[in-house]
Amino acid sequence: MATSLKLGLAGFGNVGKGTYDVLKRNKNLIADRTGTDIEVKRVVVRNPQRVRPLVDADIPVTSDWRDIVNDPEVNVVVELIGGIEPAKTLILESIAKGKHVVTANKALLAECGNEIFEAAQKAGVNVAFEAAVAGSIPIVKSVREGLAADDIEWIAGIINGTCNFILSTMRDTGRTFSDVLEEAQKLGYAEADPTFDIEGIDTAHKIMLLSAIAFGIPVNMDKVHIEGISKLDPKDIKYAEELGYRIKLLGITKKSDKGIEVRVHPSLVPNKKLLANVEGAMNAVVVKADAAESSLYYGKGAGGEPTASAVIADLVDIARTAEVHASQRPKMPTVSADKNVNHWTDFGDIVTSYYLRIPVEDKPGVLADITRIIADNGVSIEQMIQKEAPTKEKGTEVILLSHSAKEADIQRAIRTMQALASVRGPIVLLRMEELN
Ligand code: HSE
């Protein structure tokens, strides 16, 4: 056996248990395939009593993460605790002791990745995080290695299963957001506190990490524009469907001559695109690169064993490159990037097309006012339709689809329209992504 990994496993929730179970079940298969003997040396959890019966008797299960750091035999730390602390200190102290790290912790890496990757580079160890983005889908490896030849232009992904389940169910049933969220919680898709998922923060962490890998930039969550799905009206899902689009929560990162943009928001996607047909809790990512052109990656973005599959693939990678000089291992994001350069596109400078729903009074000249304001702001209209017959009391709603326009221009147009006496309520803005 060329290499042997001795793991300190921190955390034994769904993913920790999945990792332990798959390593045990597929031990011989992994060893035959890779020449790697992977042994769980110790487990650290908040409640050892709960986990003790789930782990072989000869493996210590304790509650202090320092037990992993201080065990000289442990050469790889698998951090599956989540959150910022104590995960961050565990990882930094493990790196300082020359241990490699595998983590599924997107929040930690998106917030504090620069410090962690820099420490790892200095110590000559790996911090691998395939499991942090889109669970079982090998998207980190695909972008970093499969597309190593390419200049990547953009990445767009459905990378939060909870939101995709909610949006798919809202579209199928016409039910409201809060009603479907409750069902998602009952089914175990959504957490008791679903804020990170539904407000787009989890998606933002993941797309920030993909952006750092694709474009070699430091992570910086302050530069990510984030909108979630909690305010989506079923009416817009229905109108989008009638116009040939589905609404998906997309994480998008794109490189242009203005810099790099990273944004998360509900997006209208043409229903002929494969991404529009990713339903339920599944994840999918499209990468547009100059040589490979467009490639699509699809799979389970969460769950114990699907995520464990990514954790173990990282372990195998670490074993295979353990004897290789650190400079020859796959580069970690951000470390080589010049931190003084402003890499980022102002959100007002992004260019996309837009869906507007404008509640208006039914009287002569209203549509003329709207089209004039849109034109005055340099935005070109692709389609404009009135969805319902107007009534004197309720007025009507106008749906407007724009051609590509600058975010700042459409926002200025909305502010001006919103001030018209004939506009009777808040204008709804959604962005459209043609993914060409
Ligand atoms: N909560 C995430 C999701 C899975 O719903 O996709 C873990 O990142």
Side-chain angles (χ1 to χ4, degrees):
M1 193 64 57
T3 323
S4 159
L5 300 190
K6 298 202 185 305
L7 310 186
L9 181 55
F12 211 86
N14 273 347
V15 181
K17 181 174 184 308
T19 300
Y20 181 83
D21 291 347
V22 175
L23 277 173
K24 195 167 167 179
R25 189 170 73 230
N26 293 348
K27 188 176 175 61
N28 294 338
L29 192 144
I30 293 168
D32 286 350
R33 200 176 276 161
T34 64
T36 305
D37 183 31
I38 302 176
E39 178 196 339
V40 178
K41 179 78 194 346
R42 55 170 64 247
V43 175
V44 165
V45 288
R46 225 178 341 196
N47 179 358
Q49 267 175 330
R50 175 186 73 83
V51 174
R52 184 63 276 172
L54 307 174
V55 173
D56 285 352
D58 57 334
I59 300 173
V61 180
T62 58
S63 62
D64 187 348
W65 55 266
R66 289 174 198 82
D67 293 344
I68 287 181
V69 178
N70 294 331
D71 184 337
E73 274 198 84
V74 167
N75 54 8
V76 183
V77 174
V78 181
E79 185 277 304
L80 301 172
I81 309 172
I84 304 297
E85 286 296 355
K88 184 180 175 190
T89 311
L90 163 66
I91 288 177
L92 288 173
E93 291 197 7
S94 302
I95 290 170
K97 293 238 169 150
K99 300 179 198 297
H100 298 290
V101 174
V102 174
T103 176
N105 195 331
K106 53 238 137 205
L108 175 63
L109 293 182
E111 298 286 351
C112 315
N114 300 334
E115 185 184 348
I116 290 169
F117 295 131
E118 205 161 330
Q121 173 141 309
K122 279 197 188 125
V125 298
N126 261 342
V127 173
F129 55 95
E130 185 63 72
V133 186
S136 71
I137 305 175
I139 189 66
V140 170
K141 202 173 178 70
S142 299
V143 172
R144 193 179 55 197
E145 295 171 43
L147 297 172
D150 285 62
D151 190 8
I152 290 174
E153 295 168 19
W154 55 259
I155 300 177
I158 295 170
I159 43 184
N160 185 275
T162 305
C163 287
N164 206 50
F165 171 82
I166 293 173
L167 292 177
S168 304
T169 309
M170 284 175 76
R171 185 182 64 82
D172 280 348
T173 63
R175 285 157 59 197
T176 62
F177 169 80
S178 46
D179 186 22
V180 179
L181 171 62
E182 215 171 285
E183 181 187 337
Q185 283 172 316
K186 277 191 196 131
L187 290 171
Y189 289 128
E191 308 280 340
D193 178 0
T195 313
F196 260 46
D197 289 324
I198 63 173
E199 296 307 343
I201 301 160
D202 178 72
T203 299
H205 289 148
K206 293 167 180 167
I207 194 71
M208 180 72 257
L209 289 173
L210 287 182
S211 186
I213 300 161
F215 302 123
I217 50 163
V219 291
N220 188 342
M221 285 304 295
D222 292 343
K223 301 293 181 184
V224 187
H225 176 87
I226 310 174
E227 290 172 35
I229 61 166
S230 60
K231 294 188 182 66
L232 259 188
D233 191 321
K235 202 189 258 185
D236 294 306
I237 295 176
K238 180 170 146 265
Y239 290 164
E241 183 86 0
E242 287 168 14
L243 291 161
Y245 293 85
R246 289 191 182 165
I247 298 183
K248 297 289 178 188
L249 183 74
L250 294 188
I252 299 168
T253 185
K254 200 181 274 187
K255 186 169 67 173
S256 72
D257 53 3
K258 302 248 170 40
I260 287 157
E261 64 197 59
V262 190
R263 50 190 166 101
V264 175
H265 48 70
S267 304
L268 275 74
V269 179
N271 61 16
K272 289 198 184 101
K273 295 282 174 184
L274 287 169
L275 209 54
N277 294 282
V278 173
E279 296 286 51
M282 299 303 282
N283 280 201
V285 182
V286 180
V287 183
K288 176 69 169 36
D290 66 338
E293 301 185 7
S294 194
S295 48
L296 172 75
Y297 308 81
Y298 171 87
K300 287 213 152 182
E305 294 207 358
T307 310
S309 162
V311 170
I312 298 168
D314 274 346
L315 291 170
V316 169
D317 259 1
I318 286 178
R320 283 177 169 156
T321 56
E323 309 300 326
V324 169
H325 188 268
S327 65
Q328 288 170 301
R329 295 197 197 119
K331 264 212 168 64
M332 273 174 285
T334 77
V335 174
S336 60
D338 180 350
K339 291 188 194 105
N340 298 316
V341 174
N342 178 20
H343 306 276
W344 307 99
T345 310
D346 284 338
F347 190 63
D349 283 335
I350 70 150
V351 174
T352 188
S353 45
Y354 296 88
Y355 161 107
L356 303 183
R357 173 163 56 86
I358 312 169
V360 290
E361 258 177 60
D362 176 30
K363 68 174 198 192
V366 172
L367 292 190
D369 284 345
I370 286 172
T371 49
R372 178 182 45 76
I373 291 169
I374 294 278
D376 285 352
N377 283 284
V379 177
S380 170
I381 296 171
E382 204 249 339
Q383 257 192 78
M384 192 157 155
I385 45 176
Q386 192 175 300
K387 287 308 297 177
E388 279 156 29
T391 64
K392 270 276 165 277
E393 307 74 52
K394 285 201 192 144
T396 186
E397 287 188 312
V398 170
I399 307 293
L400 186 154
L401 305 186
S402 83
H403 284 293
S404 284
K406 222 168 82 165
E407 178 80 20
D409 293 341
I410 199 85
Q411 292 288 357
R412 200 179 325 103
I414 288 176
R415 281 196 298 277
T416 311
M417 286 188 284
Q418 200 70 78
L420 292 173
S422 50
V423 171
R424 299 170 61 136
I427 296 171
V428 172
L429 167 144
L430 294 168
R431 297 174 189 86
M432 301 169 62
E433 302 298 329
E434 297 295 333
L435 302 173
N436 290 322

